[in-house]
Amino acid sequence: MMEKNRVFKKNKITRDEVLKVTTLLYFKEALLRERYEDCAELIRIAKGFGAEPGEVSGIIAECNRGEEAAWIGEANEGIGGRLRFY
C-alpha cells in the first residue's frame, strides 16, 4: 500500500521557507512597481526567515535586466483588453 502524501513527507517545506519565498516575491513586486519605500522592510523580513544576500541581489539583478513579463500582465483596455508582456 502506498504511503499517503509520500512526496510531502520526504520533502518537507518549513514554514520559514514558505515565508521567505513569499517575502522575496513581495520584494520583487515592490521593485517592479517602483514601491521602493517598501523594499528595505521586505529585505529585513526575508533575512529574518533565512534569505541569503545572494537571493536578494539576484532579484535586484533580475529586475534590472527588465524581466518583468510575469508581473506586468494586467489587462490594458486601451489595446484590446489582452494581457501584454513587455
Side-chain angles (χ1 to χ4, degrees), residues 15-82:
R15 174 185 157 273
D16 284 357
E17 289 172 321
V18 172
L19 293 172
K20 175 187 81 169
V21 171
T22 303
T23 306
L24 290 172
L25 286 171
Y26 283 136
F27 170 61
K28 181 177 181 179
E29 183 177 13
L31 282 175
L32 292 172
R33 295 183 186 270
E34 298 179 0
R35 294 183 181 157
Y36 303 118
E37 64 278 2
D38 298 334
C39 291
E41 182 69 8
L42 290 167
I43 291 170
R44 186 191 64 74
I45 293 169
K47 285 183 177 180
F49 290 121
E52 299 291 326
E55 293 173 301
V56 173
S57 61
I59 291 171
I60 294 169
E62 186 178 319
C63 291
N64 284 339
R65 286 193 303 261
E67 296 178 12
E68 53 189 81
W71 296 101
I72 302 185
E74 298 175 6
N76 187 338
E77 293 179 20
I79 329 176
R82 295 183 181 183

